[in-house]
Amino acid sequence: MSASKKDLRELLVSSSLLTNDQIKALTAEIKKTGKSIIELIYEKKLLDENTLLSFLEEKLNIPRVDLGRYLIDQKTLEIIPAGTVKKYKVIPLFLVEKTLSVAASDPFNIKAIDEIRAKSGYDVEMMAAAPSEIDQAIAQYFGVSGTINEALENVAAPEQVVVSEGDDAAPVAKLVNALLVQAIQERASDIHIEAEEKEVRVRDRIDGVMQEVQSFPHHLHAPIISRIKIMSKMDISETRIPQDGRFSFKFEDREIDIRVSSYPSVLGEAIVLRLLDKQNMIFDLEELGFSKDIKKKFEDVIQRPYGIILVTGPTGSGKTTTLYATLNKKKSPEVNIITIEDPVEYELPGIRQSQVNTKAGLLFSNALRSILRQDPDVILVGEIRDLETASVSIEAALTGHLVFSTLHTNDAPGALTRLEDMGVETFLISSATAAVIAQRLVRKLCPNCKVEVPLQKEYLDAFEIFRKKDVKKIFHGKGCKSCRNTGYKGRTGIFELLDITDEIRDMIVNKATASQIKKAAIEKGMHTLRDDGLLKVIEGITTIEEVLRVTALD
């Protein structure tokens, strides 16, 4: 690793990675800012992480390490102070005799090497790692857990627990903030805080699955609940009835909207916090997981001037996100879009949104009647829950409006019979409905640890789609620190689009069952939820187990 800065610059040019002009500009920037050449290359995105790391390994013999696959011993982590780790963006990896191997985004940082050597007492061997992986490892090993432990030490004894409004520096406030930061960093959608007989259990819902992340002494239950109630402007003196509240939490450059729900239980109140990250809101149908075929059909459907389009699925299946992405696609200065929701989860520029208010008497049905007097082109009704809302929605669809709404059904054809069960006449359902799309969310395989495995014979025998496409291999997640050893990271949608053709309309009027309608639609080329999921298995996006988990009732 004995390359001078000059050697590095010459090698970057001779390897055709950078031009002489780029090197000159970087040299001027180095003198001006004091930043290193590696730091500036990453910052200005002159080369991607993989290209630069491969160059360092091949041309300068600097070992490259994939931190996503690395498990680091706690004793090794303690060799370098957390301040030094965060200051220079380094991660201690392992100690062999008197040499400490360290991963760094910039392995040429002499100041970092000198400080690590002085504070650890060991010789230092630098290895190269991607900045994104370094940041993730710092958050994993030196981030929130330390903050939580520090806060716990300060509230270890019951007599030390004090909760007061506006005191953000109090130990309990710091503890709650640390729990929020941990959940945000882990991409959790919900935090569950529950009292057990001898402790307080904290679970985060990550990628749709509950995972236990912390446990505290039981005496911390009341102060944690009180602190959260104060933040969300709920009544801290009332513990016998459910309450709802909300607050915003700033983390780095993001503002997280947090919905809070309390519920009385035998062992004490349970609190659930729903985290809504506005910055991570997806407004593109392909990013949601729509295949090209379904995306094309859906985009054709939503261009119709009138009719009702229903999105179905259980709670937490991503229906609202799909509707928001759809409205975002329909939005233009020429189109008047109005919504009535419960609640408004994200504010959409250029769209007039309103929220159900039961206490004030504003319900889906009467709000929808008022919306019709506002000259809308497109209407979003958050959910069809009763006959009155269904009737007004269908009336709107039949009088020249494009209406979007949701229902809780297992599949797309089930939405049609659900409306019939509510009491809507079949000829109205047939005339008004343009399409129904059902969806679920499946966990995506972790890109850091997914590996190819043979397709088991039982699955080959069970699913015709594997035999048709002659599938021999699929993918599996081994588990790594990047995905908390689950093998999964992130989620995507699987979809089932039922276009209401003339044949389907006739079947609705003749009161065909949902299974009969589904059979006819499949014969005409409709992919079921399970089919769409299995196609994503073949593409290496998810696993058979995930698809079966969310389509078990289909």
Side-chain angles (χ1 to χ4, degrees), residues 429-453:
I429 300 171
S430 168
S431 303
T433 311
V436 184
I437 188 159
Q439 68 178 77
R440 298 289 190 278
L441 291 175
V442 293
R443 291 183 291 173
K444 294 194 296 184
L445 280 162
C446 173
N448 290 317
C449 65
K450 78 173 185 179
V451 292
E452 205 171 31
V453 295

PDB file of all heavy atoms in Angstrom, residues 429-453:
ATOM      1  N   ILE A 429     -72.878  -2.616 -10.543  1.00  0.00           N
ATOM      2  CA  ILE A 429     -71.483  -3.069 -10.421  1.00  0.00           C
ATOM      3  C   ILE A 429     -70.904  -3.299 -11.812  1.00  0.00           C
ATOM      4  O   ILE A 429     -69.793  -2.863 -12.134  1.00  0.00           O
ATOM      5  CB  ILE A 429     -71.391  -4.367  -9.590  1.00  0.00           C
ATOM      6  CG1 ILE A 429     -71.944  -4.157  -8.179  1.00  0.00           C
ATOM      7  CG2 ILE A 429     -69.940  -4.866  -9.530  1.00  0.00           C
ATOM      8  CD1 ILE A 429     -72.095  -5.444  -7.377  1.00  0.00           C
ATOM      9  N   SER A 430     -71.674  -3.976 -12.650  1.00  0.00           N
ATOM     10  CA  SER A 430     -71.243  -4.304 -14.001  1.00  0.00           C
ATOM     11  C   SER A 430     -70.981  -3.053 -14.829  1.00  0.00           C
ATOM     12  O   SER A 430     -69.971  -2.956 -15.541  1.00  0.00           O
ATOM     13  CB  SER A 430     -72.319  -5.164 -14.674  1.00  0.00           C
ATOM     14  OG  SER A 430     -72.092  -5.275 -16.049  1.00  0.00           O
ATOM     15  N   SER A 431     -71.865  -2.072 -14.717  1.00  0.00           N
ATOM     16  CA  SER A 431     -71.759  -0.859 -15.535  1.00  0.00           C
ATOM     17  C   SER A 431     -70.644   0.071 -15.064  1.00  0.00           C
ATOM     18  O   SER A 431     -69.972   0.716 -15.881  1.00  0.00           O
ATOM     19  CB  SER A 431     -73.089  -0.095 -15.516  1.00  0.00           C
ATOM     20  OG  SER A 431     -74.136  -0.902 -15.971  1.00  0.00           O
ATOM     21  N   ALA A 432     -70.444   0.158 -13.734  1.00  0.00           N
ATOM     22  CA  ALA A 432     -69.537   1.168 -13.179  1.00  0.00           C
ATOM     23  C   ALA A 432     -68.089   0.710 -13.065  1.00  0.00           C
ATOM     24  O   ALA A 432     -67.158   1.525 -13.169  1.00  0.00           O
ATOM     25  CB  ALA A 432     -70.031   1.599 -11.801  1.00  0.00           C
ATOM     26  N   THR A 433     -67.848  -0.580 -12.832  1.00  0.00           N
ATOM     27  CA  THR A 433     -66.495  -1.039 -12.521  1.00  0.00           C
ATOM     28  C   THR A 433     -65.633  -1.149 -13.777  1.00  0.00           C
ATOM     29  O   THR A 433     -65.990  -1.828 -14.733  1.00  0.00           O
ATOM     30  CB  THR A 433     -66.525  -2.396 -11.794  1.00  0.00           C
ATOM     31  OG1 THR A 433     -67.460  -2.344 -10.718  1.00  0.00           O
ATOM     32  CG2 THR A 433     -65.154  -2.746 -11.237  1.00  0.00           C
ATOM     33  N   ALA A 434     -64.499  -0.466 -13.756  1.00  0.00           N
ATOM     34  CA  ALA A 434     -63.560  -0.513 -14.883  1.00  0.00           C
ATOM     35  C   ALA A 434     -62.536  -1.625 -14.700  1.00  0.00           C
ATOM     36  O   ALA A 434     -62.173  -2.321 -15.656  1.00  0.00           O
ATOM     37  CB  ALA A 434     -62.861   0.828 -15.037  1.00  0.00           C
ATOM     38  N   ALA A 435     -62.039  -1.785 -13.482  1.00  0.00           N
ATOM     39  CA  ALA A 435     -61.017  -2.803 -13.205  1.00  0.00           C
ATOM     40  C   ALA A 435     -60.868  -2.983 -11.705  1.00  0.00           C
ATOM     41  O   ALA A 435     -61.254  -2.109 -10.916  1.00  0.00           O
ATOM     42  CB  ALA A 435     -59.677  -2.409 -13.819  1.00  0.00           C
ATOM     43  N   VAL A 436     -60.309  -4.111 -11.323  1.00  0.00           N
ATOM     44  CA  VAL A 436     -59.978  -4.383  -9.918  1.00  0.00           C
ATOM     45  C   VAL A 436     -58.545  -4.902  -9.893  1.00  0.00           C
ATOM     46  O   VAL A 436     -58.177  -5.767 -10.695  1.00  0.00           O
ATOM     47  CB  VAL A 436     -60.908  -5.438  -9.284  1.00  0.00           C
ATOM     48  CG1 VAL A 436     -60.585  -5.600  -7.800  1.00  0.00           C
ATOM     49  CG2 VAL A 436     -62.373  -5.077  -9.478  1.00  0.00           C
ATOM     50  N   ILE A 437     -57.754  -4.336  -8.978  1.00  0.00           N
ATOM     51  CA  ILE A 437     -56.388  -4.827  -8.829  1.00  0.00           C
ATOM     52  C   ILE A 437     -56.181  -5.273  -7.380  1.00  0.00           C
ATOM     53  O   ILE A 437     -56.472  -4.538  -6.442  1.00  0.00           O
ATOM     54  CB  ILE A 437     -55.338  -3.770  -9.256  1.00  0.00           C
ATOM     55  CG1 ILE A 437     -53.941  -4.388  -9.264  1.00  0.00           C
ATOM     56  CG2 ILE A 437     -55.406  -2.514  -8.408  1.00  0.00           C
ATOM     57  CD1 ILE A 437     -52.953  -3.644 -10.123  1.00  0.00           C
ATOM     58  N   ALA A 438     -55.769  -6.529  -7.213  1.00  0.00           N
ATOM     59  CA  ALA A 438     -55.467  -7.064  -5.879  1.00  0.00           C
ATOM     60  C   ALA A 438     -53.960  -7.055  -5.693  1.00  0.00           C
ATOM     61  O   ALA A 438     -53.198  -7.183  -6.664  1.00  0.00           O
ATOM     62  CB  ALA A 438     -56.004  -8.481  -5.739  1.00  0.00           C
ATOM     63  N   GLN A 439     -53.517  -6.895  -4.448  1.00  0.00           N
ATOM     64  CA  GLN A 439     -52.074  -6.864  -4.221  1.00  0.00           C
ATOM     65  C   GLN A 439     -51.687  -7.386  -2.849  1.00  0.00           C
ATOM     66  O   GLN A 439     -52.507  -7.458  -1.933  1.00  0.00           O
ATOM     67  CB  GLN A 439     -51.541  -5.449  -4.411  1.00  0.00           C
ATOM     68  CG  GLN A 439     -51.977  -4.442  -3.373  1.00  0.00           C
ATOM     69  CD  GLN A 439     -51.340  -3.077  -3.647  1.00  0.00           C
ATOM     70  OE1 GLN A 439     -51.775  -2.356  -4.540  1.00  0.00           O
ATOM     71  NE2 GLN A 439     -50.319  -2.732  -2.870  1.00  0.00           N
ATOM     72  N   ARG A 440     -50.433  -7.777  -2.743  1.00  0.00           N
ATOM     73  CA  ARG A 440     -49.800  -8.165  -1.486  1.00  0.00           C
ATOM     74  C   ARG A 440     -48.374  -7.608  -1.509  1.00  0.00           C
ATOM     75  O   ARG A 440     -47.864  -7.230  -2.561  1.00  0.00           O
ATOM     76  CB  ARG A 440     -49.716  -9.691  -1.327  1.00  0.00           C
ATOM     77  CG  ARG A 440     -51.026 -10.414  -1.276  1.00  0.00           C
ATOM     78  CD  ARG A 440     -51.789 -10.181   0.010  1.00  0.00           C
ATOM     79  NE  ARG A 440     -52.917 -11.093   0.093  1.00  0.00           N
ATOM     80  CZ  ARG A 440     -54.096 -10.898  -0.508  1.00  0.00           C
ATOM     81  NH1 ARG A 440     -54.270  -9.800  -1.236  1.00  0.00           N
ATOM     82  NH2 ARG A 440     -55.064 -11.760  -0.407  1.00  0.00           N
ATOM     83  N   LEU A 441     -47.723  -7.618  -0.355  1.00  0.00           N
ATOM     84  CA  LEU A 441     -46.316  -7.255  -0.283  1.00  0.00           C
ATOM     85  C   LEU A 441     -45.505  -8.483   0.101  1.00  0.00           C
ATOM     86  O   LEU A 441     -45.868  -9.202   1.038  1.00  0.00           O
ATOM     87  CB  LEU A 441     -46.091  -6.143   0.753  1.00  0.00           C
ATOM     88  CG  LEU A 441     -46.657  -4.766   0.403  1.00  0.00           C
ATOM     89  CD1 LEU A 441     -46.460  -3.802   1.573  1.00  0.00           C
ATOM     90  CD2 LEU A 441     -46.009  -4.202  -0.847  1.00  0.00           C
ATOM     91  N   VAL A 442     -44.420  -8.718  -0.624  1.00  0.00           N
ATOM     92  CA  VAL A 442     -43.503  -9.818  -0.289  1.00  0.00           C
ATOM     93  C   VAL A 442     -42.130  -9.230   0.014  1.00  0.00           C
ATOM     94  O   VAL A 442     -41.749  -8.196  -0.522  1.00  0.00           O
ATOM     95  CB  VAL A 442     -43.382 -10.850  -1.431  1.00  0.00           C
ATOM     96  CG1 VAL A 442     -44.678 -11.587  -1.640  1.00  0.00           C
ATOM     97  CG2 VAL A 442     -42.911 -10.194  -2.730  1.00  0.00           C
ATOM     98  N   ARG A 443     -41.392  -9.903   0.889  1.00  0.00           N
ATOM     99  CA  ARG A 443     -40.030  -9.453   1.199  1.00  0.00           C
ATOM    100  C   ARG A 443     -39.105  -9.788   0.036  1.00  0.00           C
ATOM    101  O   ARG A 443     -39.213 -10.856  -0.565  1.00  0.00           O
ATOM    102  CB  ARG A 443     -39.541 -10.125   2.485  1.00  0.00           C
ATOM    103  CG  ARG A 443     -40.258  -9.641   3.735  1.00  0.00           C
ATOM    104  CD  ARG A 443     -39.692 -10.292   4.987  1.00  0.00           C
ATOM    105  NE  ARG A 443     -40.018 -11.712   5.050  1.00  0.00           N
ATOM    106  CZ  ARG A 443     -39.536 -12.541   5.966  1.00  0.00           C
ATOM    107  NH1 ARG A 443     -38.679 -12.094   6.879  1.00  0.00           N
ATOM    108  NH2 ARG A 443     -39.869 -13.805   5.969  1.00  0.00           N
ATOM    109  N   LYS A 444     -38.193  -8.858  -0.238  1.00  0.00           N
ATOM    110  CA  LYS A 444     -37.209  -9.066  -1.302  1.00  0.00           C
ATOM    111  C   LYS A 444     -35.957  -9.725  -0.724  1.00  0.00           C
ATOM    112  O   LYS A 444     -35.577  -9.463   0.417  1.00  0.00           O
ATOM    113  CB  LYS A 444     -36.827  -7.732  -1.947  1.00  0.00           C
ATOM    114  CG  LYS A 444     -37.949  -7.065  -2.704  1.00  0.00           C
ATOM    115  CD  LYS A 444     -37.457  -5.929  -3.594  1.00  0.00           C
ATOM    116  CE  LYS A 444     -36.861  -4.794  -2.805  1.00  0.00           C
ATOM    117  NZ  LYS A 444     -36.466  -3.659  -3.677  1.00  0.00           N
ATOM    118  N   LEU A 445     -35.313 -10.545  -1.521  1.00  0.00           N
ATOM    119  CA  LEU A 445     -34.060 -11.173  -1.104  1.00  0.00           C
ATOM    120  C   LEU A 445     -32.995 -10.114  -0.877  1.00  0.00           C
ATOM    121  O   LEU A 445     -32.900  -9.139  -1.618  1.00  0.00           O
ATOM    122  CB  LEU A 445     -33.593 -12.155  -2.169  1.00  0.00           C
ATOM    123  CG  LEU A 445     -34.285 -13.521  -2.165  1.00  0.00           C
ATOM    124  CD1 LEU A 445     -34.072 -14.228  -3.488  1.00  0.00           C
ATOM    125  CD2 LEU A 445     -33.774 -14.373  -1.015  1.00  0.00           C
ATOM    126  N   CYS A 446     -32.209 -10.311   0.168  1.00  0.00           N
ATOM    127  CA  CYS A 446     -31.109  -9.392   0.468  1.00  0.00           C
ATOM    128  C   CYS A 446     -30.062  -9.510  -0.642  1.00  0.00           C
ATOM    129  O   CYS A 446     -29.563 -10.619  -0.902  1.00  0.00           O
ATOM    130  CB  CYS A 446     -30.502  -9.737   1.823  1.00  0.00           C
ATOM    131  SG  CYS A 446     -29.005  -8.794   2.201  1.00  0.00           S
ATOM    132  N   PRO A 447     -29.704  -8.414  -1.299  1.00  0.00           N
ATOM    133  CA  PRO A 447     -28.720  -8.494  -2.392  1.00  0.00           C
ATOM    134  C   PRO A 447     -27.330  -8.883  -1.920  1.00  0.00           C
ATOM    135  O   PRO A 447     -26.516  -9.377  -2.706  1.00  0.00           O
ATOM    136  CB  PRO A 447     -28.723  -7.066  -2.973  1.00  0.00           C
ATOM    137  CG  PRO A 447     -29.230  -6.196  -1.858  1.00  0.00           C
ATOM    138  CD  PRO A 447     -30.188  -7.040  -1.077  1.00  0.00           C
ATOM    139  N   ASN A 448     -27.042  -8.698  -0.620  1.00  0.00           N
ATOM    140  CA  ASN A 448     -25.705  -9.004  -0.104  1.00  0.00           C
ATOM    141  C   ASN A 448     -25.470 -10.488   0.130  1.00  0.00           C
ATOM    142  O   ASN A 448     -24.327 -10.944   0.152  1.00  0.00           O
ATOM    143  CB  ASN A 448     -25.462  -8.250   1.205  1.00  0.00           C
ATOM    144  CG  ASN A 448     -25.309  -6.759   0.984  1.00  0.00           C
ATOM    145  OD1 ASN A 448     -24.643  -6.335   0.060  1.00  0.00           O
ATOM    146  ND2 ASN A 448     -25.960  -5.971   1.810  1.00  0.00           N
ATOM    147  N   CYS A 449     -26.551 -11.242   0.359  1.00  0.00           N
ATOM    148  CA  CYS A 449     -26.330 -12.648   0.740  1.00  0.00           C
ATOM    149  C   CYS A 449     -27.192 -13.637  -0.039  1.00  0.00           C
ATOM    150  O   CYS A 449     -27.281 -14.803   0.335  1.00  0.00           O
ATOM    151  CB  CYS A 449     -26.556 -12.831   2.245  1.00  0.00           C
ATOM    152  SG  CYS A 449     -28.246 -12.541   2.807  1.00  0.00           S
ATOM    153  N   LYS A 450     -27.822 -13.191  -1.123  1.00  0.00           N
ATOM    154  CA  LYS A 450     -28.641 -14.154  -1.870  1.00  0.00           C
ATOM    155  C   LYS A 450     -27.745 -15.061  -2.717  1.00  0.00           C
ATOM    156  O   LYS A 450     -26.749 -14.610  -3.297  1.00  0.00           O
ATOM    157  CB  LYS A 450     -29.694 -13.451  -2.715  1.00  0.00           C
ATOM    158  CG  LYS A 450     -29.249 -12.822  -4.003  1.00  0.00           C
ATOM    159  CD  LYS A 450     -30.477 -12.331  -4.776  1.00  0.00           C
ATOM    160  CE  LYS A 450     -30.098 -11.789  -6.136  1.00  0.00           C
ATOM    161  NZ  LYS A 450     -31.281 -11.344  -6.887  1.00  0.00           N
ATOM    162  N   VAL A 451     -28.085 -16.325  -2.743  1.00  0.00           N
ATOM    163  CA  VAL A 451     -27.300 -17.322  -3.486  1.00  0.00           C
ATOM    164  C   VAL A 451     -28.242 -18.196  -4.302  1.00  0.00           C
ATOM    165  O   VAL A 451     -29.414 -18.367  -3.963  1.00  0.00           O
ATOM    166  CB  VAL A 451     -26.469 -18.218  -2.529  1.00  0.00           C
ATOM    167  CG1 VAL A 451     -25.377 -17.423  -1.853  1.00  0.00           C
ATOM    168  CG2 VAL A 451     -27.372 -18.894  -1.489  1.00  0.00           C
ATOM    169  N   GLU A 452     -27.711 -18.750  -5.374  1.00  0.00           N
ATOM    170  CA  GLU A 452     -28.506 -19.618  -6.241  1.00  0.00           C
ATOM    171  C   GLU A 452     -28.573 -21.016  -5.638  1.00  0.00           C
ATOM    172  O   GLU A 452     -27.564 -21.549  -5.160  1.00  0.00           O
ATOM    173  CB  GLU A 452     -27.869 -19.666  -7.630  1.00  0.00           C
ATOM    174  CG  GLU A 452     -28.853 -19.991  -8.726  1.00  0.00           C
ATOM    175  CD  GLU A 452     -28.236 -19.814 -10.118  1.00  0.00           C
ATOM    176  OE1 GLU A 452     -27.011 -20.033 -10.260  1.00  0.00           O
ATOM    177  OE2 GLU A 452     -28.977 -19.467 -11.035  1.00  0.00           O
ATOM    178  N   VAL A 453     -29.766 -21.622  -5.663  1.00  0.00           N
ATOM    179  CA  VAL A 453     -29.952 -22.982  -5.140  1.00  0.00           C
ATOM    180  C   VAL A 453     -30.815 -23.771  -6.126  1.00  0.00           C
ATOM    181  O   VAL A 453     -31.598 -23.184  -6.879  1.00  0.00           O
ATOM    182  CB  VAL A 453     -30.626 -22.965  -3.742  1.00  0.00           C
ATOM    183  CG1 VAL A 453     -29.724 -22.308  -2.708  1.00  0.00           C
ATOM    184  CG2 VAL A 453     -31.978 -22.263  -3.792  1.00  0.00           C
TER     185      VAL A 453
END
